Amino acid sequence: MAASESSRAALVRSPTMGDVAAGAGVSRATVSRALSRPERLRPETVERVKQTAQELGYVLNPVAKALSTGRFGNLALVVPDIANPFFPPMIRAMEGLADRAGFSVFLGNADEDPAREHKLLGQLAKQVDGIVLASSRMTEELIREHAERRPLVLVNRDVAGLPRVLVDSAGGVAQAVEHLAGLGHRHIAYLNGPSRSWSNTQRRRTVQRTAERLGRSVSMVAARLSSYEAGRRAVPALLACGASAVIAFDDLLAHGVLTGLAERGVAVPSAFSVVGCDDVLAAQTHPQLTTVSARAAEAGRAAVELLTGRLASAVAISDARLMLETSLVVRATTGPAPGR
Amino acid sequence: MAASESSRAALVRSPTMGDVAAGAGVSRATVSRALSRPERLRPETVERVKQTAQELGYVLNPVAKALSTGRFGNLALVVPDIANPFFPPMIRAMEGLADRAGFSVFLGNADEDPAREHKLLGQLAKQVDGIVLASSRMTEELIREHAERRPLVLVNRDVAGLPRVLVDSAGGVAQAVEHLAGLGHRHIAYLNGPSRSWSNTQRRRTVQRTAERLGRSVSMVAARLSSYEAGRRAVPALLACGASAVIAFDDLLAHGVLTGLAERGVAVPSAFSVVGCDDVLAAQTHPQLTTVSARAAEAGRAAVELLTGRLASAVAISDARLMLETSLVVRATTGPAPGR
DNA sequence: TTGAAAGCGCTAACAA
DNA sequence: TTGTTAGCGCTTTCAA
């Protein structure tokens, strides 16, 4: 009754290469070759092996293969918050491309917590060929450390020496400021997102510089995290600072602001203008939010391409720095400054 | 220079159990025990082993462990479309719970395609301990087949004999119909979602029955898939059918409808009422959509609990059928029927 | 073109 | 309490 006693035991456990070998009257090595390097075998052998594999319902065991080759056929994808609408389109694009390249993907949700991010990367590293790390909140030092263990591509995080894809919101944000200035707004607020976010830093600076250049004043308002509620709660501060328009770190905050304004009877855009960022919520909700395109899906695709390219070539193209330009998408939540 | 030649080679490759064993002056088995069953070892031995493991920066290789034990420490999560706002909160909840239970998670995006779903499950099955399959579009037969290979829990798909978590939108949808009837609407439309969706079938039937019971007429409008654009395009049909209110398959469609109505100058809710489903977009966007709560996160959590419970107990609780009740959340997009 | 055999890093009887 | 040994299922030299 021992599993090794007779071939009838194969009925319960799934068939292995040995079973196929026995069935086809060849060695396990030959089965392996028939499946991975058929050109090195006589066609009729390959045929016979594939035939019996088919009959037995044999499926290659990826874990055994991985142990033997050191290659896993898996990618890791780590994001700070999968529930943030910025990420799903990116994840979707990544998963699709990874799949086409023959990889399965692990998803890690870091919960905006650098420590959890670190832990996730640690436990995933040993079963993936490469990692895409999006909007990391970890220190540069820690990121470098992980990048040494496994090929790693960053999204929206700018660490010199590591391959990275950056959605350059500067262009779009500058356009947003110009758009508002052109509409007569003299005082613009910027509603901040997560403080450790590279994107937030970039957007804040761009608002500041552009407004300065155009001679408009700017107020910085803190939300500190990206959420609808945070945006809603920021409205009193927004109104108090004297601005007549706000550029929010992202669409989620912008929607919160819309609600907060509505609750206070402030009409949009006639009394107050609102601009979002990322064009993700904006594209699938009403009202049509004026926003800065973020090209999340493209960024994801580019990151996976960089990663699989690097995995295939064995030549570490380490310092790739891909910038994706953005632009303003004017929709319905911006209008002329009040009293003009 | 062969890897086995001298221990100096350990500098390049990551340390194995053998390295730790050598360093601590014990056997590999002892290292293994120190890490997984420390209670079976003398405390000082455990200490010594952990110490040297620490020094060497040793991390257990999960793939080798999996090959040896047949347990992977991985779960698979397959959804039809990760970009559909219904899923991210669910995925997030699942990932969090899985992580706490010591599992990493593979994410599969089936793209609303049964064939892709099948393929994904096939390739993932060999490296996971269990599977959560959400809103499957596959045939019951195929689902059963996969459930035989690996422990599998369904979400929002009702297959007898398999453990499943169902968000029972009947309650909430019935309330929505009653709510609208109470507001004087005599003709209500239901905007359909994906035809293979269990949830859609359930919602459609509930609308029909409840409206019948209350003596209201119903029109069925097809959108066939869940997207903002589909909702928007459905507006002409919606207006043409003579209804004064719509219940949409989900929030995404509802938002599309809102935009379509706005484009035609139809005011919400004074001229037309809109109800969504899922309360996912609704909770983080403006305007505040009247919707049916979907408890996606809870459903995800329940599914993972069912799965890990089953994995731990080794007793197959096969026919669990968990229903999560829903209810209507009245917000700002429904109002009295026009002309009343 | 094919087979034999060693080994990937770990676990788990079985002994001691 | 600890070590020895035999795999887990696959790939990959090396020989034939």
Side-chain angles (χ1 to χ4, degrees):
Chain A
M1 273 298 179
S4 55
E5 199 178 296
S6 88
S7 65
R8 295 200 58 248
L11 285 176
V12 294
R13 59 163 180 63
S14 53
T16 73
M17 232 169 214
D19 300 326
V20 179
V26 297
S27 74
R28 284 154 57 205
T30 300
V31 176
S32 176
R33 291 189 190 108
L35 266 31
S36 48
R37 278 181 201 49
E39 71 278 5
R40 300 199 175 178
L41 252 40
R42 221 181 336 159
E44 52 204 86
T45 312
V46 173
E47 185 48 41
R48 187 153 38 96
V49 169
K50 288 194 170 170
Q51 178 67 26
T52 54
Q54 177 85 50
E55 281 165 12
L56 266 49
Y58 170 75
V59 195
L60 200 149
N61 181 329
V63 171
K65 175 173 187 168
L67 184 60
S68 165
T69 61
R71 302 184 75 283
F72 305 87
N74 296 149
L75 258 33
L77 196 51
V78 176
V79 301
D81 180 11
I82 198 238
N84 183 316
F86 177 77
F87 295 107
M90 177 184 284
I91 297 172
R92 187 174 189 277
M94 287 178 163
E95 207 266 354
L97 206 58
D99 184 80
R100 246 159 286 146
F103 292 94
S104 297
V105 350
F106 278 104
L107 177 69
N109 190 78
D111 246 339
E112 299 277 359
D113 176 2
R116 251 189 71 67
E117 208 178 313
H118 177 57
K119 182 168 158 283
L120 273 171
L121 289 172
Q123 66 187 49
L124 254 26
K126 289 261 167 181
Q127 39 187 338
V128 301
D129 299 309
I131 300 170
V132 174
L133 180 55
S135 305
S136 176
R137 313 303 194 209
M138 294 194 305
T139 62
E140 225 178 274
E141 192 189 349
L142 225 42
I143 295 180
R144 285 226 163 76
E145 197 174 292
H146 282 111
E148 257 167 42
R149 306 197 168 288
R150 287 278 176 243
L152 184 154
V153 173
L154 295 169
V155 174
N156 280 356
R157 181 70 190 255
D158 197 7
V159 175
L162 298 184
R164 50 212 190 277
V165 177
L166 304 167
V167 176
D168 181 17
S169 27
V173 169
Q175 285 174 33
V177 176
E178 286 159 8
H179 169 66
L180 291 173
L183 287 166
H185 294 273
R186 318 205 59 82
H187 188 158
I188 297 168
Y190 176 72
L191 183 55
N192 282 270
S195 49
R196 280 204 189 82
S197 154
W198 174 82
S199 300
N200 184 58
T201 307
Q202 197 203 26
R203 287 167 195 183
R204 175 171 16 90
R205 284 195 190 142
T206 306
V207 170
Q208 216 140 23
R209 284 183 197 153
T210 314
E212 230 165 72
R213 175 164 59 78
L214 299 173
R216 312 288 153 151
S217 48
V218 174
S219 291
M220 288 296 151
V221 177
R224 302 201 56 84
L225 79 169
S226 159
S227 81
Y228 171 80
E229 261 309 303
R232 186 174 175 176
R233 280 198 303 267
V235 166
L238 232 39
L239 294 173
C241 78
S244 59
V246 64
I247 297 175
F249 167 70
D250 66 12
D251 287 355
L252 208 48
L253 282 170
H255 264 276
V257 168
L258 287 178
T259 299
L261 289 172
E263 286 169 352
R264 282 167 184 75
V266 180
V268 172
S270 57
F272 206 92
S273 287
V274 177
V275 178
C277 263
D278 294 350
D279 198 11
V280 49
L281 225 43
Q284 48 186 28
T285 59
H286 176 82
Q288 305 277 77
L289 197 60
T290 295
T291 193
V292 174
S293 69
R295 309 173 65 183
E298 283 168 79
R301 236 169 277 136
V304 170
E305 255 159 26
L306 233 49
L307 190 56
T308 53
R310 196 184 145 182
L311 291 177
S313 75
V315 186
I317 323 143
S318 53
D319 205 25
R321 184 172 189 264
L322 212 65
M323 292 286 263
L324 296 178
E325 300 302 319
T326 58
S327 59
L328 184 71
V329 183
V330 178
R331 296 208 182 90
T333 55
T334 46
R340 188 192 188 224
Chain B
M1 271 300 177
S4 54
E5 198 177 298
S6 87
S7 64
R8 295 201 58 248
L11 285 175
V12 295
R13 59 163 180 63
S14 55
T16 75
M17 233 169 213
D19 299 328
V20 179
V26 296
S27 74
R28 282 153 58 203
T30 299
V31 176
S32 176
R33 290 186 191 109
L35 266 30
S36 48
R37 278 181 201 51
E39 70 279 6
R40 300 198 176 178
L41 253 39
R42 217 179 339 157
E44 53 205 82
T45 312
V46 174
E47 183 50 38
R48 189 153 37 97
V49 169
K50 287 196 169 169
Q51 178 67 27
T52 53
Q54 177 85 51
E55 281 165 11
L56 267 50
Y58 171 74
V59 195
L60 200 148
N61 181 330
V63 171
K65 175 173 187 168
L67 183 60
S68 165
T69 61
R71 302 184 73 281
F72 305 87
N74 296 148
L75 258 35
L77 195 53
V78 176
V79 302
D81 179 11
I82 198 240
N84 184 318
F86 177 77
F87 295 107
M90 177 184 284
I91 297 173
R92 187 175 189 275
M94 289 179 161
E95 207 267 354
L97 205 58
D99 183 80
R100 245 161 285 145
F103 292 94
S104 297
V105 351
F106 278 102
L107 177 69
N109 190 80
D111 246 340
E112 299 277 358
D113 176 3
R116 250 189 72 68
E117 210 177 314
H118 177 58
K119 182 167 158 283
L120 273 170
L121 289 172
Q123 65 187 50
L124 254 25
K126 290 261 167 179
Q127 40 187 338
V128 301
D129 299 308
I131 300 171
V132 174
L133 180 55
S135 305
S136 176
R137 314 301 194 212
M138 293 192 307
T139 63
E140 224 178 274
E141 192 190 349
L142 225 41
I143 294 181
R144 284 225 164 77
E145 196 175 291
H146 282 112
E148 257 168 41
R149 305 195 169 290
R150 287 279 175 239
L152 183 152
V153 174
L154 294 169
V155 174
N156 281 357
R157 179 71 189 254
D158 197 7
V159 176
L162 298 185
R164 50 212 191 277
V165 178
L166 303 168
V167 176
D168 181 16
S169 27
V173 169
Q175 285 175 32
V177 177
E178 286 158 7
H179 169 66
L180 291 173
L183 287 167
H185 294 274
R186 316 205 60 82
H187 188 157
I188 297 168
Y190 175 71
L191 184 54
N192 282 271
S195 48
R196 282 203 187 83
S197 155
W198 174 83
S199 300
N200 184 57
T201 308
Q202 197 202 26
R203 288 168 195 181
R204 176 175 9 94
R205 284 195 189 141
T206 306
V207 169
Q208 215 139 23
R209 282 180 199 155
T210 314
E212 231 164 71
R213 172 164 62 78
L214 299 173
R216 312 289 154 149
S217 47
V218 173
S219 291
M220 288 296 152
V221 177
R224 300 200 58 85
L225 80 169
S226 159
S227 81
Y228 170 82
E229 261 309 302
R232 186 175 176 176
R233 279 198 304 265
V235 166
L238 232 40
L239 293 173
C241 78
S244 59
V246 64
I247 297 176
F249 166 70
D250 67 11
D251 287 355
L252 208 47
L253 283 170
H255 264 276
V257 169
L258 287 178
T259 299
L261 290 171
E263 286 169 351
R264 282 166 185 76
V266 180
V268 173
S270 56
F272 207 93
S273 287
V274 176
V275 178
C277 263
D278 295 351
D279 199 10
V280 47
L281 224 44
Q284 47 185 26
T285 57
H286 176 82
Q288 305 277 80
L289 198 61
T290 294
T291 192
V292 174
S293 69
R295 308 172 65 184
E298 282 169 80
R301 236 171 276 135
V304 171
E305 255 159 26
L306 233 49
L307 190 57
T308 54
R310 195 183 146 185
L311 291 178
S313 75
V315 186
I317 323 144
S318 53
D319 206 24
R321 185 172 190 265
L322 212 66
M323 291 287 262
L324 296 179
E325 300 303 319
T326 58
S327 59
L328 184 70
V329 183
V330 178
R331 296 209 183 89
T333 53
T334 46
R340 191 196 184 219

